């Protein structure tokens, strides 16, 4: 088994702090055996927001994903704004391997991090956001000893993903939503920044070389949430 890499936990704004209405979500969270990979998303919402208004944006996203998409909770495990503030998304414990509804077919054993905004071609990706995503990924992957600049093998649980159900495929430990599902998410601009985010996250773990971690080493826990996309 890979040994954990001790990385400082970044500051995370809790659900209580952004005033999530806990009556809207499923009562029970679901857990995997650990986090093997991170999928990066964007929320496809306007970029011209004031960071002070982000809690309201989160509440709107929360309503849409529970009421309109029936995902049982926010699909993303975490969200990051352009000022570099990290927010707890899906309930169940920021330090635990909570199964989200962010990447259809690959929710088990992964964490979904959504950049708040839209990052299509030419859109600037704020440095503070990029750094916060890297710090969060380094911490979450470090809990299971996963190299952010390495490769992992994941097994599809849904044939509507890019891979037939039961198919094992190799991914970057920090991948984009589009790597696992047919979508433009997280946008061309943010997707192009993933190599730099991997490098920074690996450096925050004190690493110098990537390696491959087999998905078989971390078995999924009981239960399965509703699957989601963007």
């Amino acid at each position: 088994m890979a040994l954990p890499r001790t990385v400082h936990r970044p500051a995370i704004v809790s659900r209580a702090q952004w005033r999530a209405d806990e009556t809207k979500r499923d009562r029970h969270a679901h857990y995997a055996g650990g986090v093997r990979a991170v999928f990066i998303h964007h929320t496809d919402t306007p970029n011209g927001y004031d960071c002070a208004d982000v809690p309201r944006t989160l509440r709107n996203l929360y309503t849409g994903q529970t009421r309109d998409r029936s995902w049982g909770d926010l699909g993303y495990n975490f969200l990051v704004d352009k000022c570099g503030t990290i927010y707890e998304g899906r309930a169940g414990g920021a330090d635990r391997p909570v199964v989200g509804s962010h990447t259809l077919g690959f929710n088990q054993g992964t964490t979904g991090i959504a950049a708040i905004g839209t990052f299509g071609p030419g859109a600037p990706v704020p440095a503070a956001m990029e750094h916060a995503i890297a710090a969060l990924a380094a911490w979450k992957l470090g809990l299971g000893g996963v190299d952010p600049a390495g490769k992992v093998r994941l097994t599809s649980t849904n044939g509507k993903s890019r891979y037939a159900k039961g198919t094992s495929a190799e991914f970057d430990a920090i991948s984009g939503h589009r790597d696992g599902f047919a979508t433009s998410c997280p946008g061309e601009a943010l997707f192009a920044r993933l190599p730099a985010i991997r490098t920074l996250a690996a450096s925050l773990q004190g690493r110098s070389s990537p390696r491959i971690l087999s998905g078989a080493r971390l078995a999924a826990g009981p239960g399965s949430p509703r699957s989601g996309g963007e």
Side-chain angles (χ1 to χ4, degrees), residues 103-107 155-168 179-182 227-228:
T103 305
L104 189 66
F106 297 100
N107 290 312
T155 299
S156 174
T157 62
N158 194 305
K160 293 182 180 180
S161 74
R162 285 194 178 276
Y163 300 89
K165 183 177 180 179
T167 300
S168 175
D179 292 316
F181 186 77
S227 295

Side-chain angles (χ1 to χ4, degrees), residues 55-198:
R56 180 173 58 187
T57 298
L58 296 184
R59 292 192 294 272
N60 290 337
L61 286 169
Y62 182 35
T63 296
Q65 293 183 5
T66 53
R67 183 191 65 194
D68 302 334
R69 298 193 179 188
S70 300
W71 287 357
D73 196 350
L74 269 171
Y76 315 115
N77 297 93
F78 300 94
L79 299 97
V80 179
D81 71 17
K82 63 184 180 183
C83 295
T85 302
I86 300 169
Y87 294 85
E88 179 184 14
R90 201 170 187 87
D95 60 340
R96 302 186 67 187
V98 178
V99 179
S101 295
H102 52 84
T103 305
L104 189 66
F106 297 100
N107 290 312
Q108 290 280 349
T110 67
T111 283
I113 300 175
I116 299 174
T118 301
F119 297 96
V125 181
M129 171 181 279
E130 192 171 314
H131 190 278
I133 290 172
L136 178 58
W139 170 65
K140 285 297 291 185
L141 293 174
L143 294 175
V146 180
D147 185 346
K151 303 286 186 178
V152 299
R153 294 203 69 84
L154 304 174
T155 299
S156 174
T157 62
N158 194 305
K160 293 182 180 180
S161 74
R162 285 194 178 276
Y163 300 89
K165 183 177 180 179
T167 300
S168 175
E170 186 176 270
F171 290 85
D172 290 304
I174 299 177
S175 287
H177 185 187
R178 66 175 63 180
D179 292 316
F181 186 77
T183 175
S184 63
C185 182
E188 293 295 335
L190 182 53
F191 189 75
R193 296 304 301 163
L194 294 190
I197 289 172
R198 294 181 195 114

